Amino acid sequence: MLKLLSGGRLLPNCKSNYFPKPFCSIRYLHISSYSTVPNYIQISSNESGSNDQGIDIDLLFHSSTNAHLAKCLHALLIVLGKVQSLFISTRLLNLYSNLGLEWDVFVAASLVHMYCRFGLFDAAYQIFTNMPYRDMGCWNAIISGFCQNGKGEKALEVLDEMKLEGIKMDSVTVSTILPVCAQLDDMVQGRLTHLYVIKHGLEHDLFVGNAFINFYAKFGEVEHAQKVFDSMVIRDLISWNSIIAAYEQNNNPDYALNFFNKMQMDGFKPDLLTIVSIASSIAQSRDSQSSRCVHGFIQRRCWFEKDVIIGNAVVDMYAKLGDADSARKLFDKILLKDVVSWNTMITGYGQNGLANEAIDVYHTMVEIEHVTPNQGTLASILPAYAHIGALKEGTTTHGRVLKTGQLLDVFIGTCLIDLYGKCGDMEDTMKLFYEVPKTSSVPWNAVISCLGIHGHGETSLKLFRNMLDDGVQPDTITFISLLSACSHSGLVEQGEWCFNVMQNDYGIKPSLKHYGCLVDLLGRAGQLEKAYNFIKNMPLQPDASVWGALLGACRIHGNADLGKLASDRLLEVDPDNVGYYVLLSNIYANAGKWDGVNRVRSLANSKGLKKTPGWSSIEINNKMEVFYTGNYSHPQCDQIYEELENLMTKMKILGYIPDYSFVLQDVEEDEKQHILISHSERLAIAYGIINTPARTPIRIFKNLRVCGDCHTATKFISRITEREIIVRDSNRFHNFKDGVCSCGDYW
DNA sequence: GTAGGGTTAG
């Protein structure tokens, strides 16, 4: 039995909410008596009883002939969830004014809040402005109503209104608006609020403190968050969770784990949200061992069944640790998956280079499980399409999701820029770029990088200047994109300029990736000694990418001695990468040092190196075909090899000589020729020639770099077939036409 | 009427 007072307050279980979940249980309520005793209504809870449909609201309105009855009716309507209707609320207003009643502040404030919850902001504001007087609760009700329902700007307007009326914020107001300041990126407002809080002695309020920890964390100011945490007189679990999340979200997993221990020493037991942050911290600190502990911890408490969020967090943890299999196993065990679960799994596969698996999961999600994809889904699946060059499939998916009412935001916009750019469509890339909001560096970085892989280094630099003119702060990735763009276009001076500007003007310390780019830049341009000296003077320990850049440059410029040196270092840091053996063998071969070639070959063979399987893909009639090197299982296999043999004959007439230094296997020459023509890019090209009309362009995607022999061969093929052949490999674009490549053999 | 969470771009 529930008892409702005329003010509308629901008595039992009335925690801090005015009307706790009035709508959830409404099915089981029916009115046992509409009391004529004017100060309460009785409602009995009866699960098998009738629902509210038997209530004659018209009759109730007509019978409400005095103030008490009007308030009872009002309360009843709130409990029944009827006040969400503007029609009913207008009738209520009329009833109140007909009876000469003022709005009850308490009811009105609750109504305001409820309207906001249903997105009826105008109605809420209307009631609010019509209130005869407003106490603190009213102001907080409308402000929090707006805040929690995505109307942050509106909330701040009301806050200004409140200040104009000379009303001071209390701790509730402060805790309400801080998340909004963070969401609106309004650091200034938050800082001013902090001053206000100190001035008015609100800083020791628990809610205020917690809100500030989260506020500063969102702006990356962990030190401030820490100061707030330190100064707190009382701390609760939320305070601890907030400081742990602050470190976790600002890439300081060690501190997060540290506070996790401290918190337990202080006698606080972690809850679900603590563990969510800890799972993410473990992923960041790449601590595979602890990942199992967390998994066990959750399992022992049966928290996987409690809330889907924890399962999602652990799936994400495994995926980020590179363990896609464990992620999938857990994912399959989540019974009630939500859209984030699917997105996490798709992203997880994508981040581990398993684009096809990611696409499979997406299809299961949409076609079998009928889950409606959201923006996060697009942001997860589009990079997977970009990875294998599935432009048509990507854009079709994008179109389909748009139909479900999703808008183009910065995330999706940037994914699309990347997709179009990586698939070679620079025109659409630029079109999109101009449509996307460009307040952060991310879309700029994407377009700079895409222009770079197309060899438009000058345009990349121009966009960089535009970016600075627009007042957008460049970050480390901006400079990686720029340096690699300069490198692809041979813009040595400009690249060096970028490297200096990055450090001197933006205080960004170069990472190994930056060093790798610069070595690549100098090396490709033939300044091998300079590149080598540069490596020797690096303050960081050079890794495989740095030495690999030097080795690649040595191959281009035929420097066997430096190449040997670079590969020796490489075999120390990354001994199992077969690509380096191929490069070195090729360097020796070009220099005519056949004993060197043999040495490298036998070394590679003795190690029994597992190659990264090379694959190339081509999209024909909206369908992706993926060819692995040496594939013989394709239905058109015979036709493909026949085509390649035919081409080989014609190529040889035109002067093509196969370059066997790219073949590491120790086999006869015939066999070597066969190995070369079964490289995945050639299979894909032949498949394209067979299945598309004559003289139309062919677009190929390759996961590794195009080998030197295939590069030469493709030039001949483009001449023989009179086709434009566009190959995007892991490094850049090659546009073959009339026997030449756009990269000018500079790659 | 108030504070904390998982996925998402280069």
Side-chain angles (χ1 to χ4, degrees):
Chain A
M1 187 75 84
L2 302 172
K3 224 176 219 184
L4 269 168
L5 291 188
S6 60
R9 190 191 289 271
L10 195 58
L11 284 180
N13 303 319
C14 188
K15 271 170 73 184
S16 59
N17 290 337
Y18 282 4
F19 301 106
K21 298 183 184 161
F23 314 114
C24 318
S25 55
I26 199 64
R27 238 186 308 180
Y28 309 120
L29 295 177
H30 79 271
I31 298 174
S32 61
S33 65
Y34 177 56
S35 171
T36 46
V37 183
N39 65 349
Y40 66 88
I41 303 170
Q42 285 185 334
I43 297 175
S44 70
S45 172
N46 180 354
E47 300 207 1
S48 57
S50 62
N51 58 25
D52 65 289
Q53 281 169 1
I55 300 170
D56 186 343
I57 290 179
D58 261 345
L59 183 71
L60 293 181
F61 264 104
H62 286 303
S63 349
S64 301
T65 46
N66 66 37
H68 282 306
L69 285 174
K71 288 184 178 182
C72 284
L73 172 60
H74 195 157
L76 175 67
L77 291 172
I78 288 169
V79 172
L80 293 177
K82 298 283 181 193
V83 278
Q84 52 189 291
S85 135
L86 266 183
F87 174 69
I88 299 272
S89 80
T90 317
R91 283 188 76 170
L92 263 174
L93 269 169
N94 288 339
L95 178 63
Y96 271 60
S97 58
N98 288 343
L99 294 169
L101 289 172
E102 287 194 331
W103 277 88
D104 180 297
V105 180
F106 189 82
V107 173
S110 313
L111 252 184
V112 162
H113 204 247
M114 189 126 54
Y115 272 147
C116 289
R117 241 190 356 213
F118 284 92
L120 301 164
F121 300 106
D122 291 339
Y125 194 70
Q126 200 191 347
I127 298 171
F128 178 75
T129 45
N130 286 336
M131 286 185 194
Y133 71 94
R134 301 159 188 155
D135 63 359
M136 226 27 238
C138 292
W139 285 101
N140 287 335
I142 185 115
I143 292 172
S144 75
F146 283 156
C147 285
Q148 289 166 4
N149 297 286
K151 294 274 163 192
E153 281 107 343
K154 199 97 182 96
L156 292 181
E157 276 171 31
V158 179
L159 184 69
D160 285 339
E161 210 179 299
M162 178 176 122
K163 286 177 185 161
L164 277 176
E165 288 197 14
I167 297 165
K168 291 204 157 67
M169 296 189 283
D170 66 0
S171 60
V172 176
T173 329
V174 170
S175 333
T176 308
I177 60 150
L178 278 176
V180 175
C181 296
Q183 202 197 318
L184 297 176
D185 232 18
D186 194 346
M187 184 57 162
V188 179
Q189 179 98 5
R191 280 197 200 284
L192 289 174
T193 310
H194 205 166
L195 293 177
Y196 174 93
V197 160
I198 293 166
K199 194 175 155 200
H200 291 81
L202 299 172
E203 79 262 45
H204 295 306
D205 183 274
L206 177 65
F207 277 72
V208 170
N210 291 345
F212 269 116
I213 296 177
N214 289 299
F215 171 80
Y216 283 121
K218 293 226 167 78
F219 284 94
E221 304 210 341
V222 200
E223 316 80 45
H224 278 101
Q226 181 68 60
K227 263 189 209 158
V228 174
F229 181 83
D230 290 339
S231 68
M232 288 174 87
V233 185
I234 313 162
R235 299 188 189 107
D236 64 358
L237 185 57
I238 295 180
S239 323
W240 285 98
N241 285 351
S242 301
I243 194 75
I244 291 171
Y247 282 111
E248 178 261 307
Q249 280 158 16
N250 289 285
N251 310 314
N252 201 335
D254 296 341
Y255 272 64
L257 293 165
N258 218 340
F259 273 94
F260 177 57
N261 292 331
K262 278 192 198 158
M263 156 185 156
Q264 284 163 301
M265 285 192 284
D266 244 39
F268 285 95
K269 283 214 172 72
D271 70 352
L272 213 127
L273 295 187
T274 325
I275 299 302
V276 166
S277 294
I278 289 306
S280 172
S281 304
I282 286 169
Q284 282 176 43
S285 59
R286 316 217 55 80
D287 181 355
S288 298
Q289 264 196 323
S290 303
S291 70
R292 293 283 160 195
C293 302
V294 167
H295 193 150
F297 183 95
I298 301 163
Q299 203 129 45
R300 282 194 295 281
R301 284 165 184 72
C302 301
W303 282 357
F304 283 125
E305 288 82 41
K306 221 168 147 188
D307 194 335
V308 64
I309 190 173
I310 191 107
N312 295 347
V314 178
V315 168
D316 183 51
M317 175 184 76
Y318 280 132
K320 291 229 164 77
L321 288 169
D323 187 351
D325 288 341
S326 298
R328 180 58 190 257
K329 263 188 209 147
L330 184 60
F331 173 77
D332 288 338
K333 279 194 202 145
I334 300 178
L335 293 177
L336 295 169
K337 300 181 182 71
D338 66 358
V339 63
V340 177
S341 318
W342 292 95
N343 296 352
T344 309
M345 198 59 241
I346 293 170
T347 312
Y349 274 135
Q351 283 168 344
N352 285 292
L354 301 165
N356 289 314
E357 283 81 351
I359 294 167
D360 275 350
V361 173
Y362 174 76
H363 284 150
T364 313
M365 164 185 178
V366 177
E367 282 151 29
I368 299 174
E369 303 290 336
H370 304 293
V371 180
T372 309
N374 66 5
Q375 301 226 340
T377 318
L378 273 183
S380 314
I381 194 66
L382 290 178
Y385 288 128
H387 190 247
I388 56 165
L391 179 59
K392 292 255 171 55
E393 238 181 301
T395 47
T396 317
T397 302
H398 175 231
R400 230 178 270 141
V401 177
L402 278 190
K403 278 191 195 144
T404 67
Q406 308 289 335
L407 299 170
L408 183 87
D409 71 350
V410 193
F411 270 84
I412 308 307
T414 310
C415 290
L416 287 172
I417 288 174
D418 190 51
L419 174 68
Y420 281 111
K422 284 208 176 121
C423 294
D425 188 343
M426 274 322 283
E427 207 177 297
D428 279 335
T429 304
M430 296 313 290
K431 244 190 241 163
L432 263 166
F433 177 68
Y434 289 111
E435 278 176 29
V436 165
K438 290 176 279 294
T439 44
S440 92
S441 65
V442 181
W444 291 94
N445 296 349
V447 80
I448 287 174
S449 146
C450 285
L451 286 165
I453 57 174
H454 282 270
H456 303 313
E458 295 281 3
T459 321
S460 292
L461 284 163
K462 200 183 109 207
L463 274 159
F464 175 60
R465 281 188 290 269
N466 292 349
M467 172 180 177
L468 299 182
D469 291 342
D470 272 21
V472 179
Q473 189 76 7
D475 59 14
T476 68
I477 292 166
T478 316
F479 287 103
I480 292 174
S481 311
L482 270 176
L483 288 169
S484 89
C486 290
S487 170
H488 288 317
S489 302
L491 304 171
V492 179
E493 272 173 41
Q494 291 89 327
E496 287 179 316
W497 174 80
C498 290
F499 196 74
N500 292 328
V501 163
M502 169 174 91
Q503 295 172 79
N504 302 335
D505 296 3
Y506 296 98
I508 297 172
K509 267 198 201 139
S511 70
L512 281 168
K513 281 197 175 148
H514 297 103
Y515 283 108
C517 286
L518 208 75
V519 170
D520 193 54
L521 173 81
L522 296 170
R524 277 171 202 265
Q527 305 184 16
L528 293 173
E529 283 302 322
K530 192 169 173 186
Y532 180 49
N533 284 328
F534 182 76
I535 297 179
K536 283 196 287 192
N537 293 323
M538 272 173 59
L540 301 173
Q541 189 74 26
D543 69 348
S545 72
V546 177
W547 289 116
L550 185 65
L551 180 65
C554 292
R555 187 199 65 81
I556 298 171
H557 297 286
N559 187 329
D561 295 337
L562 202 53
K564 173 76 174 64
L565 194 148
S567 61
D568 284 348
R569 296 287 93 74
L570 271 170
L571 301 188
E572 285 167 17
V573 284
D574 189 7
D576 295 329
N577 191 325
V578 77
Y580 304 136
Y581 295 87
V582 180
L583 277 178
L584 188 61
S585 146
N586 185 247
I587 292 173
Y588 281 136
N590 283 339
K593 298 185 173 178
W594 300 106
D595 56 326
V597 175
N598 288 332
R599 263 204 323 274
V600 175
R601 266 187 202 154
S602 54
L603 185 63
N605 288 333
S606 72
K607 290 202 154 196
L609 288 181
K610 38 181 183 339
K611 284 189 192 172
T612 314
W615 53 259
S616 298
S617 58
I618 179 167
E619 194 176 37
I620 292 177
N621 299 332
N622 282 344
K623 196 169 171 279
M624 289 300 296
E625 288 286 342
V626 180
F627 292 91
Y628 283 85
T629 295
N631 176 312
Y632 294 100
S633 58
H634 193 273
Q636 284 179 296
C637 178
D638 292 345
Q639 253 181 299
I640 291 171
Y641 281 101
E642 200 186 312
E643 179 68 36
L644 286 169
E645 293 290 352
N646 284 342
L647 283 169
M648 182 61 97
T649 316
K650 291 182 190 160
M651 282 152 64
K652 280 186 175 164
I653 295 170
L654 289 172
Y656 163 78
I657 302 160
D659 184 346
Y660 298 133
S661 63
F662 287 99
V663 180
L664 279 190
Q665 292 91 328
D666 198 9
V667 288
E668 296 300 314
E669 211 151 275
D670 267 11
E671 182 69 8
K672 282 182 188 164
Q673 177 170 319
H674 191 76
I675 288 172
L676 284 178
I677 63 168
S678 59
H679 275 176
S680 65
E681 53 267 55
R682 293 209 204 173
L683 301 179
I685 289 171
Y687 178 79
I689 292 173
I690 297 167
N691 293 293
T692 57
R695 284 188 273 282
T696 52
I698 293 177
R699 291 172 187 275
I700 304 293
F701 235 70
K702 177 163 166 81
N703 67 331
L704 307 172
R705 285 201 192 190
V706 173
C707 98
D709 185 66
C710 287
H711 193 267
T712 314
T714 311
K715 286 198 284 187
F716 281 98
I717 296 173
S718 76
R719 203 167 124 199
I720 294 165
T721 59
E722 294 176 47
R723 282 181 189 251
E724 191 180 358
I725 303 174
I726 302 127
V727 180
R728 199 210 89 186
D729 66 6
S730 61
N731 185 42
R732 62 164 297 155
F733 270 90
H734 301 269
N735 213 321
F736 299 91
K737 209 175 174 181
D738 302 331
V740 283
C741 178
S742 60
C743 75
D745 300 337
Y746 182 86
W747 90 97

